[in-house]
Amino acid sequence: MIVPLQHVLILASLLFCLGLVCVLIWRSNIIMLLIGIEIMLNAAMLVFVGGANHWGMADGQIFALMIMAMTSTEVSLALAMVVYLYRRRKSVDVDELTNQRPLGHTEASTDTAVSQQP
Amino acid sequence: MCEDCCPDMEQTLFYILAAVTVVATVFAISEKHPVHAIVYLVTSFFALAALFYLLAAPLIAMFEVIIYAGAIMVLFMFVIMMLDLGHPENSARPGFWQWLPALLLAGATLVALGILMSNRISIPDKAAVVSIRDVAVMLFQKYGVAIEIISMQLLFAAVGAFYLGRRGKQ
């Protein structure tokens, strides 16, 4: 171990707090919000790799790989949703996501589907 | 990682790379232009990949560069350019009342962390080196089922992304 585990943990929690701030302040732009989630997941990966290095076990690195696979899944789905949102509302504001009509409806039934909701 | 170079240099490199990561992330989250933010984030991920290499995880470091900096960030860039979102003057910059609760929460978390770290907990160091061979054996023997589940998850995500991204009948 080249540095104490505490320093790795401090760096990871700094990165996590930066990602948290990014998620909390960029509610008007869903792209920046997803970037904040990426930063937080990277901080988690750093903790896993630091632990794997500290205790000399390979499990931490494997879970970092799992986080990476999960992140690519999440990003592909979330960006598909961003494209879906933008095609209907011409906006990337997160607040617009609360008002989505269900998939498969035609354009004419949008207003009735929205207005029928309680 | 490498035994022939002196440990002091590795320590210095760790702190330099940590500073680069944090500063690039700060620039990324305070940047109004999404393309600039992503370029800062790629810098941050490269520094983080070097950190992973220093922490004796060369496999994770390579995947960090290939998947994060190479694939995911390019996917973000692709969506930004496809939807023509690179006009920061159209989007509202977060105001003071959006910064305040976020900074309060982050400050509280960091103060709690500082109090925890000031207690001088000593975690016993076990000097064992994890080689890529160990990782591969454990990945495909102990966690073989997890690999299958992850591949199913990626397949489902691809199907979902195709479904969400289709043009619709127009």
Side-chain angles (χ1 to χ4, degrees):
Chain A
M1 194 79 186
I2 50 169
V3 287
L5 184 62
Q6 276 96 339
H7 294 187
V8 180
L9 292 181
I10 288 172
L11 174 64
S13 35
L14 269 176
L15 278 179
F16 190 87
C17 283
L18 285 176
L20 186 72
V21 167
C22 185
V23 167
L24 286 175
I25 64 171
W26 280 105
R27 278 168 297 187
S28 62
N29 192 342
I30 197 168
I31 299 263
M32 295 299 288
L33 199 143
L34 288 173
I35 285 176
I37 296 176
E38 295 300 305
I39 298 171
M40 287 198 279
L41 284 168
N42 261 289
M45 272 175 52
L46 183 61
V47 174
F48 271 119
V49 172
N53 186 24
H54 187 267
W55 280 286
M57 295 180 70
D59 302 59
Q61 296 192 21
I62 288 162
F63 275 96
L65 276 181
M66 299 286 161
I67 290 179
M68 224 175 258
M70 193 206 67
T71 310
S72 48
T73 311
E74 170 244 332
V75 162
S76 63
L77 271 182
L79 285 178
M81 273 187 213
V82 170
V83 174
Y84 178 79
L85 174 73
Y86 189 81
R87 279 194 190 143
R88 276 151 189 80
R89 299 289 160 123
K90 295 288 170 217
S91 146
V92 284
D93 199 329
V94 183
D95 296 335
E96 299 277 345
L97 264 179
T98 57
N99 255 348
Q100 284 302 294
R101 66 191 167 96
L103 276 172
H105 282 221
T106 55
E107 202 63 42
S109 65
T110 308
D111 295 333
T112 57
V114 168
S115 62
Q116 276 168 3
Q117 285 172 357
Chain B
M1 185 61 205
C2 49
E3 287 83 11
D4 46 342
C5 49
C6 53
D8 285 343
M9 197 191 79
E10 287 184 359
Q11 266 189 10
T12 319
L13 209 56
F14 180 91
Y15 293 121
I16 290 174
L17 286 168
V20 168
T21 311
V22 170
V23 169
T25 311
V26 166
F27 277 134
I29 70 171
S30 57
E31 181 61 60
K32 198 179 172 187
H33 202 301
V35 177
H36 294 179
I38 283 177
V39 173
Y40 278 127
L41 213 60
V42 168
T43 314
S44 158
F45 285 164
F46 266 108
L48 204 61
L51 276 181
F52 286 155
Y53 187 77
L54 281 180
L55 289 175
L59 189 72
I60 309 291
M62 284 302 116
F63 275 129
E64 174 91 10
V65 172
I66 293 172
I67 295 181
Y68 266 99
I72 294 181
M73 288 302 118
V74 170
L75 198 63
F76 271 106
M77 200 80 96
F78 178 72
V79 167
I80 288 172
M81 291 183 174
M82 189 174 79
L83 301 182
D84 199 17
L85 300 176
H87 301 291
E89 59 274 3
N90 296 338
S91 61
R93 198 182 179 83
F96 173 71
W97 291 109
Q98 278 170 299
W99 278 97
L100 185 67
L103 288 184
L104 275 180
L105 282 175
T109 314
L110 285 180
V111 167
L113 177 85
I115 291 171
L116 272 181
M117 287 301 172
S118 63
N119 283 341
R120 292 268 163 214
I121 20 169
S122 66
I123 307 166
D125 199 354
K126 291 184 184 161
V129 178
V130 184
S131 66
I132 290 189
R133 182 184 298 270
D134 298 340
V135 176
V137 165
M138 191 163 273
L139 183 64
F140 287 108
Q141 282 185 351
K142 191 176 172 190
Y143 294 102
V145 183
I147 295 292
E148 300 296 327
I149 294 174
I150 285 283
S151 58
M152 294 289 279
Q153 183 189 14
L154 285 170
L155 176 69
F156 294 154
V159 171
F162 278 132
Y163 182 62
L164 281 172
R166 82 209 152 113
R167 275 280 171 193
K169 24 186 190 295
Q170 282 158 5

